Amino acid sequence: MLTDLPNILTLSRIVAIPVLVALVGVGAPVTDCAACLLFIAAAITDYLDGKLARAWHQYSDLGRMLDPIADKLLVGASLMVLAGSDRLPFGALYPAIIILAREILVSGLREFLASTRVSLPVTRLAKWKTGFQMTAIGFLLAGDSTGKLLHLDPLPVSMVGAIMLWIAAVLTIVTGWDYLATGLRHVGRNGRTASKIAS
């Protein structure tokens, strides 16, 4: 299973994380640009691994386990290193906290619902949230220093990233509430079923 290309792509996202963190830690315009490009490449693998697994019918329990873990590690590490480097301008630390909190919430809900053999389908709005979130992180990793490096000084790279992260946070709250409501419905249903069995 480890030699299947979809799983290799998923693992590559995890391997890329310490490299990305190190690049951001250097804090030079060239390394900021490299960190952005590495993040974009990792985000592309997130799209490709699922698409290839479906096209080639290379489904595996390992892939289903690693894919969401790799996604959350990549997003979490990126946001934390940006926060630690004081690279979340315009109050972007707060949407970052919201996004990380939602990831923990959804992970807990999925774990609970898996025990009841219920899955949480990914909604269209959640896909939009992911799109805004990944684009925002890419802009924030690039920062204004990359804009200057590429002679795009008028482009407020960090501001664009911060605005998109705020939009992603709003979508995060909406989709998080939808997932929570779905989880609570199943909690209530399971509670009523257990009561009937006990009686």
Side-chain angles (χ1 to χ4, degrees), residues 95-119:
I97 292 171
I98 291 170
I99 288 168
L100 290 176
R102 183 261 194 191
E103 295 297 336
I104 296 170
L105 169 68
V106 172
S107 294
L109 284 173
R110 289 189 189 280
E111 184 176 351
F112 164 74
L113 292 175
S115 66
T116 63
R117 297 184 180 179
V118 175
S119 62

Side-chain angles (χ1 to χ4, degrees), residues 64-155:
R64 280 189 288 269
M65 179 189 73
L66 285 179
D67 186 60
I69 292 174
D71 296 343
K72 288 171 176 54
L73 286 175
L74 179 65
V75 170
S78 299
L79 290 175
M80 284 189 285
V81 75
L82 285 168
S85 304
D86 198 21
R87 297 267 300 276
L88 292 174
F90 305 101
L93 175 64
Y94 300 104
I97 292 171
I98 291 170
I99 288 168
L100 290 176
R102 183 261 194 191
E103 295 297 336
I104 296 170
L105 169 68
V106 172
S107 294
L109 284 173
R110 289 189 189 280
E111 184 176 351
F112 164 74
L113 292 175
S115 66
T116 63
R117 297 184 180 179
V118 175
S119 62
L120 278 178
V122 178
T123 64
R124 184 179 296 273
L125 189 60
K127 291 180 180 179
W128 276 99
K129 185 274 300 182
T130 300
F132 272 101
Q133 173 180 289
M134 301 302 265
T135 306
I137 294 173
F139 270 88
L140 289 167
L141 287 170
D144 294 330
S145 63
T146 298
K148 293 177 181 177
L149 180 69
L150 300 177
H151 305 292
L152 298 172
D153 297 32
L155 180 64

Side-chain angles (χ1 to χ4, degrees), residues 49-65:
D49 59 8
K51 188 176 181 64
L52 292 176
R54 289 187 294 272
W56 297 346
H57 302 287
Q58 290 185 338
Y59 304 107
S60 69
D61 291 336
L62 179 65
R64 280 189 288 269
M65 179 189 73

Side-chain angles (χ1 to χ4, degrees), residues 11-77:
L11 287 169
S12 72
R13 289 205 298 284
I14 298 175
V15 172
I17 292 170
V19 180
L20 187 148
V21 170
L23 289 170
V24 176
V26 173
V30 173
T31 55
D32 288 345
C33 183
C36 175
L37 293 175
L38 180 60
F39 183 83
I40 291 171
I44 291 172
T45 67
D46 184 25
Y47 168 76
L48 285 178
D49 59 8
K51 188 176 181 64
L52 292 176
R54 289 187 294 272
W56 297 346
H57 302 287
Q58 290 185 338
Y59 304 107
S60 69
D61 291 336
L62 179 65
R64 280 189 288 269
M65 179 189 73
L66 285 179
D67 186 60
I69 292 174
D71 296 343
K72 288 171 176 54
L73 286 175
L74 179 65
V75 170

